[in-house]
């Protein structure tokens, strides 16, 4: 399988793979997300964080060329054996494939939506003291629940420890139950397998963009890990501005900002 731990020769306390599930044709969004994550000063240590875009099979000839260009430049693409127009099963394929396809394992694996703004440093800090095993972390559903042991973590962005990623690939429970809302299914799998004894809901640090989703939304707050449902340019602007993502830009005679 995947014995080696990514970055295990360094002083990182843990490693995290963030897989952003998105579609092949969303070139401009990937470009924008790369800029946003590159702009955040590296949170390491404590964490080594790799961010990859997770696609299903390419279906158009131009995708093979354009996405090959992205791979040559960024090497941050994972293409799974699945069909993008299939509403169901991509999250299962994602987790169950990783132990087979990754050259090395991570301590944690995150599944994130492509309309999620993540702050890497607070995310890493929030995971630092948590168990590395049997761990399920995220924003517990329903919106007003504070009990991570009931129901499941929202698909906006949740984290599993590596042993649970391996379990998803090996257990007979998930493979027979892959059709439906994928975040809810993950909770059902773990409950069915009596897994994830360690669960953490990071409310109020993750939430939906203000005003977009009832009680899952609240105002932007300084102690934020993730904001979900950021879709429009005015929303991205407000988020990047509020969190000072570009404040440390270096002065130069080449531009005035
Ligand atoms: C995805 O592409 C691979 C390689 O072309 C192919 O073997 C596989 O059957 C495809 N998967 C699906 C679900 O279409
Ligand atoms: C899973 O599905 C397969 C094929 O439908 C069936 O043979 C098997 O008994 C099921 N396993 C469980 C644990 O439900
Ligand atoms: C952004 O910078 C301003 C001005 O320096 C500061 O008052 C504010 O607290 C910062 N916001 C966050 C979320 O760190």
């Amino acid at each position: 399988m995947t014995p080696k731990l990514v970055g295990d020769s360094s002083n990182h306390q843990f490693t995290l793979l963030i897989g952003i599930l998105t579609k092949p044709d969303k070139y401009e969004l990937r470009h924008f997300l790369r800029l946003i994550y590159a702009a955040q000063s590296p949170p390491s240590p404590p964490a080594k964080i790799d961010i990859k875009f997770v696609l299903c099979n390419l279906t158009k000839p131009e995708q093979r060329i354009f996405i090959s260009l992205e791979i040559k430049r960024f090497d941050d693409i994972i293409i799974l054996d699945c069909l993008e127009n299939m509403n169901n099963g991509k999250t299962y394929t994602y987790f169950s494939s990783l132990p087979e396809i990754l050259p090395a394992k991570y301590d944690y694996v995150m599944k994130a939506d492509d309309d999620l703004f993540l702050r890497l440093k607070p995310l890493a800090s929030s995971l630092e003291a948590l168990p590395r095993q049997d761990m399920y972390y995220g924003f517990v559903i329903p919106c007003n629940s504070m009990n991570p042991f009931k129901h499941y973590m929202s698909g906006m962005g949740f984290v599993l420890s590596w042993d649970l990623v391996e379990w998803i690939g090996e257990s007979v429970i998930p493979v027979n139950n892959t059709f439906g809302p994928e975040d809810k299914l993950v909770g059902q799998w773990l409950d069915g397998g009596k897994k994830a004894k360690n669960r953490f809901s990071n409310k109020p640090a993750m939430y939906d963009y203000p005003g977009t989703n009832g009680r899952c939304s609240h105002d932007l707050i300084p102690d934020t890990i993730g904001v979900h449902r950021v879709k429009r340019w005015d929303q991205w602007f407000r988020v990047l501005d509020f969190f000072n993502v570009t404040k440390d830009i270096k002065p130069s005679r080449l531009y005035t900002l």
Side-chain angles (χ1 to χ4, degrees):
M1 279 252 183
T2 47
K4 205 169 99 244
L5 186 63
V6 168
D8 58 357
S9 59
S10 72
N11 59 347
H12 300 116
Q13 291 183 21
F14 66 91
T15 56
L16 166 67
L17 171 66
I18 301 174
I20 301 174
L21 273 60
T22 186
K23 297 206 170 88
D25 283 341
K26 293 168 106 173
Y27 300 101
E28 287 165 7
L29 180 61
R30 279 197 295 283
H31 171 68
F32 187 64
L33 292 173
R34 283 188 185 107
L35 294 179
I36 285 175
Y37 290 116
Q40 299 188 33
S41 41
S44 56
K48 171 164 170 49
I49 299 181
D50 289 337
I51 300 178
K52 307 257 186 211
F53 296 99
V54 181
L55 316 174
C56 284
N57 268 2
L58 307 184
T59 53
K60 303 174 191 165
E62 75 271 18
Q63 290 171 344
R64 293 180 222 294
I65 300 296
F66 296 159
I67 289 169
S68 293
L69 282 177
E70 292 181 58
I71 291 170
K72 281 175 75 112
R73 175 65 182 83
F74 301 107
D75 195 17
D76 62 357
I77 300 279
I78 294 176
I79 303 176
L80 301 171
D81 180 358
C82 51
L83 287 178
E84 207 67 72
N85 58 7
M86 178 178 73
N87 293 328
N88 296 294
K90 184 170 178 182
T91 297
Y92 171 73
T93 306
Y94 170 55
F95 286 118
S96 62
S97 303
L98 288 179
E100 304 291 338
I101 63 179
L102 285 176
K105 68 176 188 172
Y106 290 82
D107 291 303
Y108 297 125
V109 176
M110 183 171 203
K111 178 260 154 182
D113 281 345
D114 64 7
D115 60 352
L116 177 71
F117 168 72
L118 270 177
R119 296 175 78 218
L120 300 179
K121 223 170 222 166
L123 172 67
S125 304
S126 75
L127 288 166
E128 191 176 355
L130 297 185
R132 307 277 185 257
Q133 298 278 323
D134 211 19
M135 221 280 288
Y136 183 30
Y137 163 110
F139 173 98
V140 69
I141 292 291
C143 297
N144 59 353
S145 167
M146 295 303 274
N147 179 5
F149 292 91
K150 254 189 115 177
H151 303 294
Y152 59 95
M153 306 300 174
S154 160
M156 64 169 78
F158 61 87
V159 175
L160 295 173
S161 55
W162 183 259
D163 57 313
L164 294 182
V165 174
E166 287 186 320
W167 176 79
I168 288 173
E170 291 161 0
S171 167
V172 294
I173 294 172
V175 71
N176 274 2
N177 185 17
T178 61
F179 293 96
E182 301 183 70
D183 46 5
K184 189 172 182 176
L185 291 179
V186 172
Q188 287 178 5
W189 302 337
L190 296 171
D191 286 344
K194 303 210 181 319
K195 290 286 176 181
K197 299 224 169 35
N198 303 303
R199 300 190 183 202
F200 293 87
S201 179
N202 58 17
K203 290 175 183 178
M206 277 178 87
Y207 46 96
D208 284 321
Y209 187 87
T212 60
N213 194 20
R215 298 184 69 173
C216 284
S217 288
H218 59 67
D219 282 342
L220 302 179
I221 53 172
D223 290 328
T224 289
I225 289 171
V227 186
H228 180 229
R229 296 195 175 215
V230 190
K231 292 180 192 293
R232 301 193 317 250
W233 286 114
D234 60 302
Q235 296 170 334
W236 279 112
F237 162 65
R238 190 170 152 204
V239 165
L240 298 178
D241 187 43
F242 184 87
F243 294 109
N244 296 324
V245 173
T246 61
K247 273 273 165 69
D248 61 353
I249 192 138
K250 66 176 196 302
S252 166
R253 292 171 65 185
L254 293 174
Y255 45 73
T256 309
L257 288 165

